[in-house]
Amino acid sequence: MNQRLAEQRRAAEAAAQRIVRGGATETDDEAAALINDTVRRMQTQSQQNVDELWTNARAAAQEDYGAGGRVSASAGSRLRTLQNQATRTARVERGAVIDDPAMAPNATRINAILDDVAEQVEAGQLGLNDIDIYRKQIANYRRQAMANPEAAMDQIVSLELSRAFDDWMDGLLGQGAYSGDGAILAQFRQARAATRRHHQEFGVDGPQD
């Protein structure tokens, strides 16, 4: 965080404290505007940092793919296990109907992506950059499901399946099931950690991660 932004954050925090104590020197609207502006600036800077980390990781993974870097074929069975657990949780514990594309269109698309990823991983065809492309597609379908308040079933199953993929990817990066340059795994771990912090701090699930 640069010095100017840090100063704005301290000023916003001070304003918030004065509002809570009932002794604000600014009007409530002015103080709220200052706080909101600071949060927006912090969120923008955080997103820019996330974007840069992902850009660098993807570029490195793309180059390493040309050098033979692939996700281990054994990781495919792990993804299938997590996928099955997610669908079972959605069906049994949460009462979701998961086999009807009309009721869960985005979940159906996510499920098809997981099938495709597992198949290609088992065939030794995917690099980390490919995995990340699929991750972004899954995130996009999950956002579409969450944007529809009337699609409860779609939301439930989409969340369970996308979490299964996230868990699988975290395990993949942590276990090093990758035949290429190990330093690239570290870049992806760093980018995912930054994305997670961004979501936790700002409560967003943005398309730029």
Side-chain angles (χ1 to χ4, degrees), residues 9-21:
R9 181 176 186 177
R10 287 194 292 270
E13 290 172 346
Q17 291 173 2
R18 288 195 294 272
I19 292 174
V20 171
R21 293 196 302 266

Side-chain angles (χ1 to χ4, degrees), residues 28-206:
D28 287 352
D29 287 344
E30 290 172 340
L34 176 60
I35 294 169
N36 290 336
D37 181 65
T38 300
V39 171
R40 282 194 298 269
R41 289 174 180 270
M42 292 171 60
Q43 182 174 340
T44 297
Q45 186 174 71
S46 174
Q47 184 66 70
Q48 290 173 346
N49 177 60
V50 168
D51 290 345
E52 182 177 359
L53 289 172
W54 277 116
T55 296
N56 293 339
R58 289 164 184 151
Q62 184 64 37
E63 181 177 350
D64 199 51
Y65 185 87
R70 299 290 188 277
V71 175
S72 173
S74 62
S77 61
R78 173 60 177 164
L79 177 57
R80 293 188 188 279
T81 297
L82 291 172
Q83 180 183 9
N84 290 336
Q85 290 174 348
T87 54
R88 184 166 56 251
T89 297
R91 179 187 293 113
V92 177
E93 298 183 13
R94 308 194 66 181
V97 177
I98 64 175
D99 301 321
D100 186 350
M103 294 186 66
N106 292 290
T108 299
R109 296 183 185 103
I110 293 174
N111 203 42
I113 289 175
L114 298 188
D115 286 337
D116 192 26
V117 170
E119 181 177 343
Q120 292 190 61
V121 166
E122 289 169 344
Q125 297 175 346
L126 292 188
L128 287 178
N129 197 51
D130 301 307
I131 299 295
D132 186 58
I133 290 172
Y134 284 118
R135 180 190 65 83
K136 293 185 72 176
Q137 292 177 359
I138 290 171
N140 182 56
Y141 288 133
R142 182 183 68 238
R143 278 189 293 273
Q144 291 183 35
M146 300 309 294
N148 185 357
E150 298 181 358
M153 292 298 179
D154 202 18
Q155 292 178 1
I156 290 171
V157 187
S158 293
L159 281 173
E160 291 295 340
L161 290 173
S162 61
R163 286 169 180 163
F165 186 83
D166 285 343
D167 289 345
W168 175 75
M169 190 169 183
D170 284 337
L172 180 71
L173 298 177
Q175 296 166 7
Y178 180 63
S179 64
D181 187 351
I184 296 174
L185 290 174
Q187 286 184 273
F188 271 80
R189 285 194 294 267
Q190 184 182 15
R192 284 187 62 75
T195 300
R196 190 174 293 111
R197 286 195 302 272
H198 179 76
H199 290 179
Q200 290 171 346
E201 291 178 6
F202 300 105
V204 298
D205 187 19

